[in-house]
């Protein structure tokens, strides 16, 4: 029922399903099975970059640009650190409000809440919901900084790295990480002093990377003023170009396969942790512990026995 | 050979074995099996507390106090955050140098290096090495702060929480966490102003906790000046009292059993992660990924198949 409503594009049903992901609900198993035949259509774009570059504004402007060409757009704002659920976070994101009444746009924030599987577990499942709800494009934006950003970006087909003028230090700090994951680079706030310098520095640092063959993708460096909606059409153009390039040479399949493998692994690991907890609470684990304490068993042999116990569910 | 040397109390062999733990060496499986019959004798004392309370100095003074009554002592300093190995860290710990030539004392620092199993994996195995090497008492001290401290303390039979005068805010910050894990509280730097106030505050906060029955353990609050070795005999006395109390009513067995179960679980989880990586790299995972991408399989069903694959090693 909820799945049918979500597929029909009802925002409330979509929100409910993503809440189930956020809460790691046991019913997800059934939900994902029902969604499976209806996924695989959406193009997933990750947006990342240091704080202060205007990520939220850029995401909103990119939604407008995609809406202008008639695409249905999903936005997933992921907060790896917040213990609060989507609603509160979303309330702050004034920039997004302009899309609140547009039925062709789904906007959802998701906190990882530190549950068992973490972001690697939750993000791909939330993407599945938006995908099955008929989104042509899904923008994944991380709130916060650090390793988790890169993790979330790895869930995308194409990753956009945002910078802003005067963030030379930011580039240094972000170092290799950010320079390796970008497919498209955007210098936002390009009306400010130093935009040209930032773009040049970025270009220089990218050129220091591994040399690329003639057929490889050379990440473009674009300039935007997201607050005024300037330069976003060029970003959309670059994204479509990258998507076509990936589709033509098999990179898209490769990335999606890698992503799905990571997703399966995250779900399996969460399941194993849960089974292990069940086994460890049981009498079997007490028996193992007693034998170790008596010195008749070592912890590795005990772990082997515990793993054998897992296979029995 | 190395195991025999360690059991004979050769410091270098002990150091080598703990390095194997630090490096997550595959040979540990064999090492732990050889050590198993010779463990279970050591009394493990965890030392924790906010930065600046004099943890390192207190540990060193406690070593002296135990040495004065003829006990063989091991010290395991665990640094959850440092990417550096024990050697470098140890070099800084001047206070410990006074024990460097004492053959009845083993001192080892260990960094977790962010490897697969983390601290929960490494700490108990390092304790096994020191245990089998003939230590009567092992002091586990964490370098750094936060949740990891509590994690490491949970590997101990008895946990000592250190405070210092003027750390009222520190107590507030540490809040419930530190007040729940202490078996013995020590106000160090007791020659400074405010020691009495800190002890009184501590006593007040402990009294706010769950009411304790007449037979339950009431954590004592002691005062020391570790830099001058003052008050440490009383700490040793309190520790032995707590140990005897735990042994008499079964708490010691209970704690050790819980600890060993956590150890088995950590080893099993690391093993499963590793097997999963092997499976996920293989053709089987590609097949699963392709079916998900085609919409004919959902990620939960795929995870189930992946788990079935693990049972086959």
């Amino acid at each position: 029922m909820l799945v049918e409503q979500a597929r029909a594009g009802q925002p409330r049903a979509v929100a409910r399903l993503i809440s189930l992901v956020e809460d790691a609900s046991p019913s997800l198993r059934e939900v994902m099975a029902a969604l499976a035949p209806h996924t695989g259509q959406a193009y997933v774009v990750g947006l990342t970059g240091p704080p202060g570059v205007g990520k939220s504004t850029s995401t909103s402007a990119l939604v407008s640009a995609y809406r202008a060409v008639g695409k249905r757009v999903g936005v997933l704002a992921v907060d790896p650190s917040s213990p609060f659920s989507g609603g509160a976070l979303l309330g702050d994101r004034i920039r997004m409000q302009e899309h609140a009444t547009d039925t062709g746009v789904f906007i959802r924030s998701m906190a990882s809440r530190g549950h068992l599987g973490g972001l690697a577990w939750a993000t791909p499942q939330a993407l599945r919901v938006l995908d099955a709800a008929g989104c042509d494009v899904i923008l994944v934006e991380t709130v916060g900084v650090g390793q988790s950003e890169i993790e979330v970006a790895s869930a995308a087909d194409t990753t956009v790295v945002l910078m802003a003028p005067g963030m030379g230090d930011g580039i240094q700090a972000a170092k290799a990480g950010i320079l390796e994951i970008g497919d498209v680079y955007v210098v936002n706030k390009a009306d400010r002093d130093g935009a040209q310098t930032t773009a040049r520095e970025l270009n220089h640092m990218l050129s220091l990377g591994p040399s690329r063959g003639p057929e490889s993708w050379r990440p473009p460096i674009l300039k935007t003023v997201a607050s005024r909606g300037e330069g976003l059409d060029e970003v959309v153009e670059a994204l479509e170009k990258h998507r076509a390039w990936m589709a033509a040479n098999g990179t898209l399949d490769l990335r999606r396969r890698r992503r799905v493998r990571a997703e399966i692994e995250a779900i399996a690991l969460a399941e194993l942790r849960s089974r292990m907890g069940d086994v460890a609470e049981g009498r079997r684990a007490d028996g193992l512990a007693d034998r170790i304490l008596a010195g008749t068993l070592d912890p590795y042999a005990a772990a082997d026995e515990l793993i054998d116990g897992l296979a029995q569910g």
Side-chain angles (χ1 to χ4, degrees), chain A:
Chain A
M1 180 66 168
L2 209 54
V3 166
E4 284 313 305
Q5 290 171 342
R7 284 198 52 220
Q10 293 187 19
R12 281 196 181 188
V14 172
R16 280 284 304 281
L17 289 180
I18 292 182
S19 293
L20 293 180
V21 173
E22 208 174 25
D23 297 339
S25 162
S27 66
L28 282 177
R29 183 175 274 272
E30 204 179 324
V31 168
M32 291 300 151
L35 293 179
H38 312 290
T39 56
Q41 306 310 313
Y43 172 49
V44 180
V45 177
L47 286 104
T48 187
V53 295
K55 253 186 295 186
S56 182
T57 312
S58 294
T59 302
S60 185
L62 203 51
V63 170
S64 301
Y66 268 116
R67 288 301 291 146
V69 292
K71 302 282 187 187
R72 289 172 68 88
V73 186
V75 175
L76 185 68
V78 182
D79 187 343
S81 56
S82 169
F84 303 110
S85 80
L89 193 84
L90 193 55
D92 291 337
R93 315 185 76 242
I94 308 295
R95 285 281 162 198
M96 289 293 174
Q97 297 297 0
E98 61 181 293
H99 304 294
T101 56
D102 182 345
T103 56
V105 182
F106 296 102
I107 299 172
R108 256 325 263 188
S109 296
M110 184 173 64
S112 71
R113 284 178 172 168
H115 70 58
L116 220 55
L119 279 181
W121 183 94
T123 306
Q125 295 190 66
L127 291 176
R128 270 174 201 287
V129 172
L130 291 167
D131 186 352
C135 292
D136 299 305
V137 179
I138 306 174
L139 309 178
V140 187
E141 177 201 345
T142 38
V143 178
V145 285
Q147 183 55 34
S148 49
E149 287 221 333
I150 292 174
E151 216 174 280
V152 171
S154 76
D157 293 322
T158 297
T159 296
V160 176
V161 173
L162 293 163
M163 301 303 266
M167 299 200 69
D169 291 348
I171 300 181
Q172 293 294 346
K175 272 187 290 190
I178 248 173
L179 293 171
E180 273 163 20
I181 60 170
D183 300 305
V184 172
Y185 288 83
V186 173
V187 178
N188 188 33
K189 306 184 181 180
D191 53 342
R192 296 199 184 169
D193 284 348
Q196 191 54 42
T197 309
T198 300
R200 201 167 47 229
E201 280 175 9
L202 205 47
N203 188 49
H204 176 65
M205 296 183 85
L206 286 172
S207 70
L208 296 177
S211 68
R212 300 162 189 264
E215 288 173 39
S216 71
W217 176 258
R218 192 179 161 78
I221 299 170
L222 306 170
K223 293 195 199 116
T224 59
V225 184
S227 59
R228 294 203 300 258
E230 291 173 18
L232 274 304
D233 291 344
E234 287 76 9
V235 175
V236 168
E237 207 174 288
L239 290 173
E240 291 303 318
K241 215 164 155 183
H242 184 245
R243 178 194 200 168
W245 176 85
M246 287 194 298
N249 64 16
T251 305
L252 189 60
D253 277 350
L254 213 93
R255 287 194 178 184
R256 289 187 170 181
R257 191 186 276 181
R258 196 172 53 195
R259 189 165 91 203
V260 162
R261 284 192 343 198
E263 180 184 5
I264 303 173
E265 199 174 316
I267 293 176
L269 207 60
E271 170 67 20
L272 285 169
R273 264 182 199 274
S274 152
R275 287 194 198 176
M276 191 122 59
D278 293 344
V279 176
E281 291 307 312
R283 288 174 54 201
R284 186 193 197 94
D286 272 343
L288 294 175
D290 286 343
R291 285 159 63 198
I292 289 181
L293 289 172
T296 58
L297 186 71
D298 71 89
Y300 283 87
D304 287 344
E305 287 198 33
L306 189 64
I307 290 173
D308 289 344
L310 293 183
Q312 296 154 31

